[in-house]
Amino acid sequence: MAEHSVPSPVRETPAGDLGRRLAPRRPEPGLTREHAVTRAGMSPSGPGPLEEHPAGDLDAVLRDDGFGELCRGECLRLMAAVGVGRLVYTRQALPAVLPVAFRLDADGSVLVCARADSGLVRAVDGAVVAFETDDVDPARRSGWSVVVTGAAAVVTDPAEHARLLRTGPRSWAPSPQEVFVRVTPELVTGRELHTGQGPWAAGLSP
């Protein structure tokens, strides 16, 4: 009796709607799985094309739009390498964004130097603010962004103020009466984008 090979069981994956639309279209431009992975800048051992993932995984990919999350330690490491960020706060009941020079303290706090009687100091002292930093390479379409959210407060301890005069950031507009504002890193989030990644990196539209 001739032996018949038993086909390997196929794992049924509840692919998302975009995955189902992509699967039949890939052969049209002559794209094999390997071609799609290569054009997307993905590792052959990585997650693979969209249609091979459950709907929940696809939702996460599309939600991130090609960005990967950064852990807290990596966020702080990247922030320490740049010296300019954007302080996001409320001014007269409206959102305001101000680019400022900053420095990270040893505990991850964001330190900003400003004129003591400035509107910025009055607006942020005792308020919850956000602080964003990033580094983007438009030519390579890659980069990262980190946001620190927490309470801001003027440093009033004389010893701490003296220490920051030696090690802290410098204001872009020096003044005889300057104070340091500390933003406590209660929430630190970050995202990173690498060249050619994302659901449409292979040139396929939904």
Side-chain angles (χ1 to χ4, degrees), residues 146-197:
V146 172
V147 177
V148 172
T149 306
V154 173
V155 175
T156 57
D157 180 74
E160 181 70 355
H161 182 82
R163 179 181 74 86
L164 295 179
L165 284 175
R166 300 189 305 269
T167 64
R170 293 293 174 263
S171 172
W172 285 348
S175 169
Q177 299 296 325
E178 292 182 336
V179 294
F180 293 97
V181 176
R182 178 187 300 276
V183 180
T184 304
E186 298 170 11
L187 177 63
V188 181
T189 60
R191 303 203 307 165
E192 185 176 27
L193 175 66
H194 294 289
T195 302
Q197 292 189 1

Side-chain angles (χ1 to χ4, degrees), residues 14 33 38 70 79 96 104 143 176-177:
R33 180 190 187 280
T38 301
L70 297 170
M79 287 187 69
L104 282 188
Q177 299 296 325

